[in-house]
Amino acid sequence: MSIDFDLLGPRDLGLIRAGMTRDESRSALESPFDEFLKSPYSAVPTDAYDDLGLHVYFDDALMVVGVEFLKWAQFTWRGQRLAGEEVLVVQQFLTGQGEFLVFNNSGFNVERLGLRFYAPDIGEEDAIVEAVHVDFTGVD
């Protein structure tokens, strides 16, 4: 099964949006999932939808605070695939859209959209975006 996700705007992925509860997100995705703790310090389990290639994160009130798309997920913005695409293709697209990229040692962020790109091989030819985290908390 595959669901296409498109970043419609900050905090809005269509099926999943800021302000949704855990139960609402599970109902909207209609797909098998597993709960897991992302780290030993996690207080709230994350929902992993392996078939869809995404993880949904929740706060203590069980409200959606973010979604992470893995490289096999169907995640786009303005028609451009983001997760699983070559890093240079994504970077050129984003800068062409007027976005400002903030680089770190494992990828880059687009703060205006709440996007964090995980690309551990950044700088190497044909490096791939391994994951994209969409943060619902710090974006207007």
Side-chain angles (χ1 to χ4, degrees):
M1 181 172 121
S2 173
I3 297 176
D4 294 343
F5 292 90
D6 188 33
L7 181 65
L8 303 176
R11 303 167 46 134
D12 188 354
L13 298 165
L15 281 179
I16 303 175
R17 295 172 310 286
M20 290 182 94
T21 66
R22 180 169 67 183
D23 288 342
E24 289 170 336
S25 70
R26 289 175 174 177
S27 178
L29 292 172
E30 298 180 336
S31 187
F33 65 90
D34 291 312
E35 286 186 11
F36 75 102
L37 293 175
K38 192 76 171 176
S39 80
Y41 307 104
S42 298
V44 178
T46 297
D47 285 355
Y49 294 84
D50 291 335
D51 291 351
L52 302 176
L54 62 95
H55 296 162
V56 182
Y57 296 85
F58 307 96
D59 64 12
D60 292 341
L62 300 180
M63 302 296 284
V64 176
V65 294
V67 179
E68 181 179 27
F69 292 94
L70 307 174
K71 64 183 175 184
W72 62 91
Q74 301 303 313
F75 177 50
T76 61
W77 182 54
R78 296 185 176 169
Q80 172 63 54
R81 184 168 187 219
L82 300 179
E85 180 61 86
E86 289 186 25
V87 171
L88 288 176
V89 170
V90 172
Q91 290 174 342
Q92 289 171 351
F93 171 76
L94 291 168
T95 56
Q97 296 293 312
E99 297 303 327
F100 181 71
L101 311 182
V102 178
F103 293 88
N104 57 54
N105 61 358
S106 63
F108 59 96
N109 301 338
V110 179
E111 293 174 5
R112 187 184 78 80
L113 298 173
L115 300 177
R116 295 193 310 258
F117 291 81
Y118 177 63
D121 298 330
I122 193 167
E124 295 182 19
E125 190 175 335
D126 299 331
I128 297 293
V129 174
E130 298 290 332
V132 182
H133 184 92
V134 183
D135 183 6
F136 288 176
T137 61
V139 181
D140 296 326

Short mmCIF file of all heavy atoms in Angstrom, two decimals, residues 3 9 20 34 43 57 62 69-70 81 92 99 102 115-116 120-121 125 130 132 136:
data_model
loop_
_atom_site.label_atom_id
_atom_site.label_comp_id
_atom_site.label_asym_id
_atom_site.label_seq_id
_atom_site.Cartn_x
_atom_site.Cartn_y
_atom_site.Cartn_z
N ILE A 3 0.64 5.67 0.10
CA ILE A 3 -0.11 6.91 0.19
C ILE A 3 0.84 8.03 -0.18
O ILE A 3 1.98 8.07 0.29
CB ILE A 3 -0.66 7.15 1.62
CG1 ILE A 3 -1.64 6.06 2.01
CG2 ILE A 3 -1.33 8.52 1.71
CD1 ILE A 3 -2.16 6.17 3.44
N GLY A 9 1.59 23.06 3.31
CA GLY A 9 2.00 24.29 3.98
C GLY A 9 2.62 23.91 5.30
O GLY A 9 2.59 22.74 5.69
N MET A 20 -3.97 17.48 15.29
CA MET A 20 -4.64 16.17 15.30
C MET A 20 -4.20 15.38 16.52
O MET A 20 -3.06 15.48 16.98
CB MET A 20 -4.26 15.35 14.06
CG MET A 20 -4.83 15.85 12.77
SD MET A 20 -4.37 14.75 11.39
CE MET A 20 -5.78 13.69 11.35
N ASP A 34 3.22 0.10 14.31
CA ASP A 34 3.80 -0.38 15.56
C ASP A 34 4.15 0.84 16.40
O ASP A 34 4.60 1.85 15.87
CB ASP A 34 5.08 -1.18 15.31
CG ASP A 34 4.80 -2.51 14.64
OD1 ASP A 34 3.90 -3.22 15.11
OD2 ASP A 34 5.50 -2.82 13.66
N ALA A 43 9.03 9.72 26.44
CA ALA A 43 7.92 9.52 27.36
C ALA A 43 6.68 9.01 26.63
O ALA A 43 5.84 8.34 27.22
CB ALA A 43 7.58 10.83 28.08
N TYR A 57 5.09 11.43 15.39
CA TYR A 57 5.51 11.80 16.74
C TYR A 57 4.40 12.56 17.45
O TYR A 57 3.68 13.35 16.82
CB TYR A 57 6.75 12.70 16.68
CG TYR A 57 7.95 12.00 16.10
CD1 TYR A 57 8.15 11.95 14.72
CD2 TYR A 57 8.89 11.40 16.93
CE1 TYR A 57 9.25 11.30 14.19
CE2 TYR A 57 9.99 10.75 16.40
CZ TYR A 57 10.17 10.70 15.03
OH TYR A 57 11.26 10.06 14.49
N LEU A 62 -0.70 13.67 23.53
CA LEU A 62 -1.00 12.78 22.40
C LEU A 62 -1.50 13.54 21.18
O LEU A 62 -2.36 13.06 20.43
CB LEU A 62 -1.97 11.67 22.81
CG LEU A 62 -1.47 10.76 23.93
CD1 LEU A 62 -2.51 9.69 24.25
CD2 LEU A 62 -0.14 10.12 23.56
N PHE A 69 9.55 11.15 7.34
CA PHE A 69 9.39 10.36 6.13
C PHE A 69 10.71 9.68 5.80
O PHE A 69 11.73 10.35 5.66
CB PHE A 69 8.95 11.24 4.96
CG PHE A 69 7.56 11.78 5.12
CD1 PHE A 69 7.35 13.03 5.69
CD2 PHE A 69 6.46 11.04 4.73
CE1 PHE A 69 6.07 13.53 5.86
CE2 PHE A 69 5.17 11.53 4.90
CZ PHE A 69 4.98 12.77 5.46
N LEU A 70 10.68 8.36 5.68
CA LEU A 70 11.86 7.60 5.32
C LEU A 70 12.01 7.56 3.80
O LEU A 70 11.10 7.93 3.07
CB LEU A 70 11.76 6.20 5.92
CG LEU A 70 11.49 6.20 7.43
CD1 LEU A 70 11.26 4.80 7.95
CD2 LEU A 70 12.59 6.91 8.19
N ARG A 81 9.77 15.31 -5.34
CA ARG A 81 9.99 14.29 -4.32
C ARG A 81 11.11 14.76 -3.40
O ARG A 81 12.13 15.26 -3.87
CB ARG A 81 10.34 12.96 -4.96
CG ARG A 81 10.49 11.86 -3.96
CD ARG A 81 10.56 10.50 -4.61
NE ARG A 81 10.53 9.49 -3.56
CZ ARG A 81 11.26 8.39 -3.60
NH1 ARG A 81 12.03 8.14 -4.63
NH2 ARG A 81 11.18 7.54 -2.61
N GLN A 92 18.83 22.01 -4.99
CA GLN A 92 18.61 22.92 -6.11
C GLN A 92 17.15 23.31 -6.23
O GLN A 92 16.82 24.46 -6.49
CB GLN A 92 19.13 22.29 -7.41
CG GLN A 92 20.63 22.21 -7.47
CD GLN A 92 21.14 21.40 -8.66
OE1 GLN A 92 20.37 20.75 -9.36
NE2 GLN A 92 22.45 21.41 -8.86
N GLU A 99 13.90 29.09 -0.89
CA GLU A 99 14.09 28.64 0.49
C GLU A 99 15.55 28.77 0.90
O GLU A 99 16.46 28.64 0.09
CB GLU A 99 13.62 27.19 0.65
CG GLU A 99 12.15 26.99 0.39
CD GLU A 99 11.24 27.84 1.27
OE1 GLU A 99 11.61 28.10 2.44
OE2 GLU A 99 10.18 28.26 0.79
N VAL A 102 19.89 25.62 5.92
CA VAL A 102 20.83 25.70 7.03
C VAL A 102 21.48 24.32 7.16
O VAL A 102 20.80 23.34 7.47
CB VAL A 102 20.13 26.09 8.35
CG1 VAL A 102 21.13 26.12 9.50
CG2 VAL A 102 19.41 27.43 8.19
N LEU A 115 11.25 21.76 8.03
CA LEU A 115 11.81 20.53 7.46
C LEU A 115 13.25 20.33 7.91
O LEU A 115 14.06 21.25 7.86
CB LEU A 115 11.77 20.59 5.94
CG LEU A 115 10.41 20.74 5.28
CD1 LEU A 115 10.56 20.85 3.77
CD2 LEU A 115 9.50 19.57 5.65
N ARG A 116 13.55 19.08 8.33
CA ARG A 116 14.92 18.69 8.64
C ARG A 116 15.28 17.50 7.75
O ARG A 116 14.62 16.45 7.82
CB ARG A 116 15.05 18.33 10.12
CG ARG A 116 14.82 19.51 11.04
CD ARG A 116 15.26 19.24 12.47
NE ARG A 116 14.76 18.01 13.04
CZ ARG A 116 13.74 17.94 13.90
NH1 ARG A 116 13.10 19.03 14.26
NH2 ARG A 116 13.37 16.77 14.38
N PRO A 120 23.22 11.65 5.69
CA PRO A 120 24.53 11.44 6.31
C PRO A 120 25.69 11.44 5.31
O PRO A 120 26.82 11.70 5.70
CB PRO A 120 24.38 10.09 7.01
CG PRO A 120 23.25 9.41 6.32
CD PRO A 120 22.34 10.50 5.86
N ASP A 121 25.41 11.18 4.05
CA ASP A 121 26.47 11.16 3.03
C ASP A 121 26.55 12.48 2.27
O ASP A 121 27.13 12.54 1.18
CB ASP A 121 26.24 10.01 2.04
CG ASP A 121 26.29 8.66 2.73
OD1 ASP A 121 27.02 8.53 3.74
OD2 ASP A 121 25.60 7.74 2.27
N GLU A 125 29.05 12.38 -4.03
CA GLU A 125 28.30 12.30 -5.27
C GLU A 125 27.16 11.29 -5.11
O GLU A 125 27.33 10.24 -4.50
CB GLU A 125 29.24 11.86 -6.40
CG GLU A 125 28.63 11.96 -7.76
CD GLU A 125 29.62 11.62 -8.87
OE1 GLU A 125 30.83 11.77 -8.64
OE2 GLU A 125 29.17 11.21 -9.93
N GLU A 130 17.99 10.44 3.18
CA GLU A 130 17.55 9.22 3.84
C GLU A 130 16.23 9.40 4.58
O GLU A 130 15.45 8.46 4.70
CB GLU A 130 18.62 8.73 4.82
CG GLU A 130 19.95 8.36 4.15
CD GLU A 130 19.87 7.11 3.31
OE1 GLU A 130 19.04 6.23 3.60
OE2 GLU A 130 20.65 7.00 2.35
N VAL A 132 13.22 12.76 5.97
CA VAL A 132 12.84 14.16 6.15
C VAL A 132 11.88 14.23 7.33
O VAL A 132 10.86 13.54 7.34
CB VAL A 132 12.13 14.74 4.90
CG1 VAL A 132 11.78 16.21 5.12
CG2 VAL A 132 12.97 14.56 3.64
N PHE A 136 6.07 20.13 13.45
CA PHE A 136 4.86 20.94 13.57
C PHE A 136 4.94 21.95 14.71
O PHE A 136 4.02 22.73 14.89
CB PHE A 136 3.65 20.05 13.82
CG PHE A 136 3.19 19.22 12.65
CD1 PHE A 136 2.15 18.33 12.79
CD2 PHE A 136 3.79 19.34 11.41
CE1 PHE A 136 1.71 17.57 11.73
CE2 PHE A 136 3.34 18.57 10.32
CZ PHE A 136 2.31 17.70 10.49
#
